[in-house]
Amino acid sequence: MAGTVITFYSYKGGVGRSFTMANIAVLLARWGYRVLTIDWDLEAPGLHHYFAPVLAESPKGGVIDLAHDFLDGAAEPSDHVLKAEVGGTGTLELLAAGKMDRSYMRRMQDIGWEKLYERGFARFLEQCRERWTAEHDFVLIDSRTGISDIAGICTAHLPDRLVVVFTANDQNLDDVVDITRRADAARDRMPYDRPRHTVLPVLSRLDNRVEYERADKWQRKCAEVVAPLFENWLVKSVPEDLMLRHLTVPYVSYWSFGEQLPVLDELVPSPDQISYALETIAAVVAQGYDRTDVLEDNRDAYVAAARNHHRDYDLDLLVSSPRTLLKVTEELITELNALGVRAGRSVSGDPGILEKTSEPAEHLCLLVDEEPSRWQITEAERFLRHAIGPEGGQRQLFCVLSENTDQDQLPGFLRNLRHLELGLRPELVARQLQALIQGNSDQEPHHEALLAAATALRGLPDEMPYAGRFALVQESVRGMTAALDSGALELLLDHSADLALISKAHGNGARTPMPSGLRVAVGELLARIDRRLNAFTD
């Protein structure tokens, strides 16, 4: 499958475009993708500075050499690509602007791009593009700012998608939408089959740590201006201002000095760190600007799905158990491996597991004796935050209970899972787990509960015989929301049944309309449930 070409563009300079692109390239490579970065900002090249610490040598050639190859009559482009070492399972390569010596500026200024195109350079560039997309999953182009021949090549001719980086000021906002329309018009005039641009707006260098109110005001203003850029790709249920918050790179003074790659240092970033925002944007790029409803509902799971897209798990199932069940755990793992399920034991209490960015197993099984340990609860909560697998597949959490365990005393998010009984024969539990892993059958009760809740909410009448009925409705909606938050599916079913019963109330006389606040709460809850139902059917 051919890779995707994405141009990072900004109408003005100094907005952090190269910084954003370089760090996203590193993340994608570390996540297992094959990434090529191209520095097409020929008058002010800078990518080689960002990648200098991870390059074995300085660039000996680059983009301007492609043009000179063509002028010299080369039948095909030469290889001017350097490999960067950033770890992970993917690859990161750089096609620099050129060799940074005294002759660079003269050689760059000798190139007349318009005359090059008149001589057939477009066909030569198509050859380059075909090679790049055949060998890479993503080709990221750092484009020159403003309106120029070079910017036209990067925004009209080459890309499949655009990332437009801007800051919160009127100079940037005035043309951020118009420039993409010009690029669409320009590519319509070209003899190459390119669809209409899909554009990812990235608000950069927003200082929301000190001037929070002013930052919030500008962020809303920016969302209103760039709203047209979301039209052909953002899921309709996701508000533009919320999406732009996910696509905002904060200003952090520590990273404002020099050309730095914070994603190499902040391997497990917290929400207040710049790499957290960069991870989110990289995940949107990795998933083709798709599944944004999942991003709205669970950012960590969305990022994990992008991170794990190209990797095979070392294990099918990680078994977490207390010391009291150590012997039976080893027997269970032996039986699972005999059945072809790659299983291993979690070393409970080892904080190193929680610090890892990767997941050792696709599924998690808790063996509970009397009650889950604090470690098991932490482990399960972390797992559930990353429980959306590649292509939307659901990773599963299993709960196996000893005879000493009271199901009703489990935490809410564990209480309503489908439980297995440990018993005296681990081989039987192993067969049950094997069937569940291969059949994904544990999704059925989730789907049933969510479907019942959605049906009950849609069945609510706009009017009731008297106001007291809506008080009961409000109580049921609050209960359903709390049950959904805690994963208590049986409780969600109970509240849904209550709501359906309340909706059937009849009476004579005046009718009372649903309060506006309750209408909003019902709509928000229904939207959340619909997103989760879509995750099962997409």
Side-chain angles (χ1 to χ4, degrees):
M1 182 176 178
T4 302
V5 181
I6 303 175
T7 290
F8 282 66
Y9 175 82
S10 60
Y11 183 66
K12 292 284 186 179
V15 301
R17 182 195 67 245
S18 299
F19 169 87
T20 301
M21 194 191 98
N23 280 276
I24 286 174
V26 170
L27 285 170
L28 292 174
R30 291 178 65 88
W31 292 351
Y33 299 91
R34 300 169 300 163
V35 182
L36 172 64
T37 58
I38 303 178
D39 194 344
W40 220 296
D41 188 0
L42 302 184
E43 291 190 355
L47 280 185
H48 61 288
H49 291 302
Y50 285 98
F51 296 134
V54 293
L55 291 173
E57 58 180 324
S58 299
K60 299 294 191 296
V63 172
I64 63 169
D65 296 279
L66 293 179
H68 284 284
D69 288 344
F70 172 75
L71 291 171
D72 293 340
E76 59 182 29
S78 302
D79 187 8
H80 303 288
V81 170
L82 291 177
K83 186 174 182 179
E85 296 293 340
V86 294
T89 56
T91 58
L92 176 60
E93 295 178 323
L94 168 66
L95 177 60
K99 183 178 181 180
M100 293 295 108
D101 58 13
R102 292 182 179 180
S103 68
Y104 173 81
M105 191 60 65
R106 175 184 55 77
R107 298 185 72 222
M108 187 272 294
Q109 292 174 340
D110 286 345
I111 300 172
W113 295 100
E114 186 175 348
K115 291 184 178 179
L116 274 180
Y117 267 74
E118 291 174 357
R119 294 177 58 176
F121 183 65
R123 290 189 297 274
F124 187 79
L125 204 52
E126 279 295 295
Q127 285 183 274
C128 297
R129 190 182 189 280
E130 288 176 7
R131 175 186 291 184
W132 296 335
T133 55
E135 297 175 354
H136 302 88
D137 299 306
F138 293 102
V139 179
L140 307 184
I141 300 175
D142 191 17
S143 171
R144 181 186 173 187
T145 59
I147 301 169
S148 64
D149 293 338
I150 294 175
I153 294 172
C154 298
T155 59
H157 183 175
L158 290 174
D160 299 299
R161 303 177 185 274
L162 289 179
V163 174
V164 177
V165 184
F166 64 100
T167 54
N169 58 56
D170 289 325
Q171 294 181 67
N172 275 268
L173 290 177
D174 283 346
D175 290 283
V176 69
V177 174
D178 185 57
I179 198 68
T180 62
R181 291 174 177 157
R182 295 183 194 177
D184 275 328
R187 74 192 301 164
D188 286 342
R189 298 190 294 269
M190 302 188 74
Y192 301 105
D193 185 18
R194 302 278 194 274
R196 178 188 172 193
H197 282 107
T198 49
V199 185
L200 190 74
V202 173
L203 175 56
S204 178
R205 296 187 173 177
L206 185 74
D207 190 351
N208 54 11
R209 298 188 176 199
V210 179
E211 296 291 343
Y212 175 79
E213 291 185 3
R214 294 185 67 187
D216 185 66
K217 177 182 176 181
W218 270 97
Q219 195 158 39
R220 292 180 182 277
K221 178 180 179 178
C222 292
E224 291 177 4
V225 172
V226 303
L229 302 181
F230 291 112
E231 287 177 355
N232 63 341
W233 62 270
L234 184 65
V235 173
K236 299 303 180 185
S237 62
V238 180
E240 289 90 347
D241 62 332
L242 176 60
M243 190 63 201
L244 189 61
R245 291 181 187 276
H246 283 300
L247 300 175
T248 297
V249 180
Y251 173 77
V252 179
S253 59
Y254 180 83
W255 299 112
S256 65
F257 301 98
E259 293 81 14
Q260 302 186 71
L261 297 172
V263 296
L264 289 178
D265 292 332
E266 300 172 347
L267 297 181
V268 187
S270 58
D272 63 337
Q273 292 181 303
I274 197 168
S275 296
Y276 187 88
L278 292 166
E279 277 190 346
T280 307
I281 298 168
V284 176
V285 169
Q287 302 200 62
Y289 303 8
D290 197 11
R291 299 168 66 192
T292 48
D293 53 338
V294 178
L295 172 58
E296 179 191 13
D297 198 45
N298 190 333
R299 179 267 178 196
D300 288 346
Y302 186 84
V303 172
R307 181 190 298 121
N308 296 327
H309 182 83
H310 278 300
R311 68 180 291 267
D312 292 325
Y313 295 98
D314 295 331
L315 298 172
D316 299 315
L317 183 68
L318 190 67
V319 182
S320 175
S321 67
R323 294 185 182 278
T324 55
L325 297 179
L326 180 59
K327 184 174 183 297
V328 72
T329 300
E330 296 297 339
E331 293 175 358
L332 176 62
I333 290 173
T334 299
E335 294 292 340
L336 286 166
N337 287 320
L339 292 170
V341 177
R342 298 173 301 163
R345 180 172 178 267
S346 169
V347 184
S348 296
D350 179 6
I353 292 178
L354 299 183
E355 294 172 359
K356 291 181 179 179
T357 57
S358 61
E359 299 284 332
E362 184 172 5
H363 308 293
L364 176 65
C365 177
L366 302 182
L367 266 57
V368 180
D369 189 22
E370 293 188 0
E371 62 181 9
S373 67
R374 289 184 180 180
W375 167 262
Q376 287 182 305
I377 291 175
T378 301
E379 197 171 23
E381 288 176 340
R382 180 182 186 273
F383 176 85
L384 289 173
R385 287 198 301 271
H386 300 77
I388 299 175
E391 305 298 336
Q394 191 74 18
R395 300 170 63 206
Q396 302 181 65
L397 173 62
F398 307 110
C399 210
V400 180
L401 309 181
S402 74
E403 61 181 7
N404 301 322
T405 306
D406 183 355
Q407 176 180 331
D408 294 335
Q409 299 303 313
L410 295 173
F413 74 100
L414 296 178
R415 188 183 310 132
N416 293 284
L417 295 175
R418 178 180 294 183
H419 300 111
L420 304 179
E421 295 181 3
L422 186 56
L424 300 176
R425 299 184 61 188
E427 68 271 17
L428 296 181
V429 178
R431 289 174 190 160
Q432 289 175 300
L433 288 169
Q434 179 199 32
L436 289 169
I437 290 172
Q438 293 178 348
N440 284 333
S441 59
D442 78 322
Q443 289 184 3
E444 295 171 6
H446 291 68
H447 189 276
E448 178 187 349
L450 293 171
L451 190 60
T455 302
L457 290 167
R458 286 195 170 90
L460 276 173
D462 292 329
E463 297 179 335
M464 285 282 194
Y466 47 89
R469 280 285 173 180
F470 279 123
L472 295 175
V473 170
Q474 188 169 41
E475 185 178 341
S476 294
V477 169
R478 286 174 178 169
M480 293 170 71
T481 302
L484 189 63
D485 289 340
S486 63
L489 298 179
E490 289 185 5
L491 189 58
L492 180 63
L493 278 170
D494 291 342
H495 285 301
S496 301
D498 292 341
L499 187 63
L501 186 62
I502 295 169
S503 300
K504 295 178 181 178
H506 297 282
N508 298 320
R511 311 283 292 182
T512 302
M514 182 184 298
S516 58
L518 177 58
R519 190 182 302 277
V520 170
V522 169
E524 290 176 347
L525 178 59
L526 185 57
R528 286 183 60 192
I529 291 171
D530 282 342
R531 286 196 298 273
R532 297 197 181 190
L533 283 169
N534 290 337
F536 290 119
T537 57
D538 283 350

